[in-house]
Amino acid sequence: MTDRSHENGPPQVNHFNGPVFHGSVSQGQFAWDNATATQNQQNVGTPGPVAPGYEALAERVAELLRQLPGAGLAEEDRRNTEEAAAEVLEVIGQEEPVEEGRVRRALNQLRGALAPVATGVAAGATMGAQEWALAAIGGLTGG
């Protein structure tokens, strides 16, 4: 389709055979010209809004979650760590004032989920998983 309303300039051409975006797009999923489409999206390790002063902790927990799939943890240890990390992000994502006691408890729960892996007590914990868990606990201790 050509619009010749710009007499002094080149004609404006509009293509309507796909999506058109006028602005930035983040984390979008699109499908067109498909009989069926199945899409999934996981925003693992992407912290949402965080109370002021907790941004660094949120980033450490998000990085832990991003590394978690490749850490070599057993299924139960991975699930426990994900749940504990989600609890930390939930607590620091609450509207102010953030309860310091809840933050400490959530962090202790996360460190506790990683401790059996870090110490090698967890069944099947590989050396790489142990080192990763130790580093993760060390990073959380500073938070």
Side-chain angles (χ1 to χ4, degrees):
M1 174 177 183
T2 303
D3 180 3
R4 298 199 180 268
S5 63
H6 299 92
E7 294 296 326
N8 297 334
Q12 179 179 355
V13 178
N14 296 309
H15 299 280
F16 296 102
N17 58 349
V20 177
F21 304 98
H22 300 281
S24 61
V25 176
S26 177
Q27 299 180 6
Q29 290 181 251
F30 309 97
W32 64 93
D33 279 344
N34 298 56
T36 62
T38 301
Q39 296 182 333
N40 296 300
Q41 187 176 51
Q42 290 184 321
N43 294 320
V44 174
T46 306
V50 177
Y54 291 93
E55 296 88 353
L57 177 58
E59 282 303 315
R60 283 194 295 271
V61 172
E63 182 60 27
L64 182 147
L65 285 170
R66 279 189 286 274
Q67 295 175 358
L68 191 58
L73 273 64
E75 181 66 26
E76 183 178 350
D77 295 324
R78 184 195 53 75
R79 189 174 43 254
N80 290 341
T81 302
E82 282 177 344
E83 290 172 3
E87 176 70 16
V88 171
L89 292 175
E90 180 182 328
V91 170
I92 62 177
Q94 300 289 321
E95 291 195 25
E96 291 187 74
V98 173
E99 298 175 48
E100 290 295 323
R102 284 191 67 202
V103 173
R104 279 192 303 279
R105 285 190 298 277
L107 280 171
N108 285 337
Q109 182 181 358
L110 180 52
R111 286 189 289 258
L114 292 168
V117 178
T119 60
V121 173
T126 65
M127 183 59 79
Q130 285 179 286
E131 291 171 359
W132 176 83
L134 280 169
I137 291 171
L140 294 171
T141 302

